[in-house]
Amino acid sequence: MQNDLPGNYQDAIPVGMLGIIALPGTEVIAKRIDSYIVQWRREYADKLPKDDFLHHYIKDSYMIKADFPRFSTGEGKGTLSQSVRGYDLFILCDCFNYGVEYEMYGMRYPTSPDEHFANLKRAISAAAGKERRLTVIMPMLYEGRQHRRSSRESLDCAMALQELVSLGVKNIITFDAHDPRVQNAIHLCGFENVPTIYQMLKSLVKAVPDLQLDKDHLMVISPDEGGMSRCIFYSNMLGVDIGMFYKRRDYSVIVNGRNPIIAHEFLGANIEGKDVVVVDDMISSGDSMIDVCRQLKERGAQRVFCCASFGLFSSGLARFDKAYEQGIFDKIFTADCMYAPPELMEREWYISVRMAKYMSYLIDTLNHDMSLSRLLTPADRIQRLLVQFGHRIGAPTA
């Protein structure tokens, strides 16, 4: 048993029999999550009372097989292979996995976020309300960037959340939401916005063994004003300075529904000779991130590392390959809880941040109806991490 497992599970009563449903595109990480929970429950089974409860508690797998076939017209349905009556169900959904394809009228199409969300509703419908509790784990929130209304436009994220609640969902778990205030749309439902800072820092210090974690050698940068709270947490944990770029836009023009960015202007102290960590919630096309990295290098940054919870790379990898060859950035870290194409995994500049163990903690803790506070506030774990790599903190320059 790992020391950072929260609580004494032998004293807790599960909400119900645990069941995990993996929607198309989440099968790989779901299997990792399942294997962790199977291992942990076997390890602390000796501390539990010997009764019939163990028959349901200790299993070889907690996965519930689900299928989402499609007709030739593109219509679909969801089916479950077994009864889920009385189960504490957890549904994993990656709405941005374009690697999942389906056939319609003899042509192959990538599954869009709207279609993934439709599959989520199909899974909920297939359970038919027989479950004891229903939790949706959606690493990147569906329509999370359409979280507010600035003119006559839709409020897609709020509508989606309200629809899930109306279907019986009790808890929604997401990671580094673009704007967590969207939870106000479902104020009587559980909404957990889980930080990824611990996993990011752990991957960073492992991948960059000579990184010095002090204010004389390291600085944390936010690529825009919206991500400042995230960067402040990083800087407070590491005890380093913070900087920020703000986006200057042309409000007289609209391109793809948005005002185009004219330039990124920097606010912050001198970064010359320092390593820089750029922290954001996502990398979409990459234009903004690459421009920010370029400006940091021009201002004398020694190395530039990008930590983004979600790597969409929606405009391809060529521009990142070119920027890496030009020395504009050194490494990019993104979480593996959403789809990454095989070619991305092969890139020298890319590091995949493992999230399955953390997600297993969340599921196992909730199933035991215990508090998530220690998992949602990773300050203690970060301090232990810094102590573990203490020989590099504040070390003199080689």
Side-chain angles (χ1 to χ4, degrees), residues 195-203 353-355 358 381:
T196 61
I197 176 174
Y198 173 73
Q199 287 74 23
M200 286 290 172
L201 289 177
K202 187 175 182 179
S203 295
V353 178
R354 295 299 181 96
M355 296 295 296
Y358 192 21
R381 284 175 291 149

Side-chain angles (χ1 to χ4, degrees), residues 22 26 28 98 122 136-137 150 208 225 231 237 254 296 311 327 351:
T26 65
V28 173
Y98 61 92
R122 291 183 179 112
V136 170
I137 301 180
S150 57
V208 189
E225 59 276 16
C231 286
M237 287 291 98
I254 297 179
L296 291 172
I351 302 292

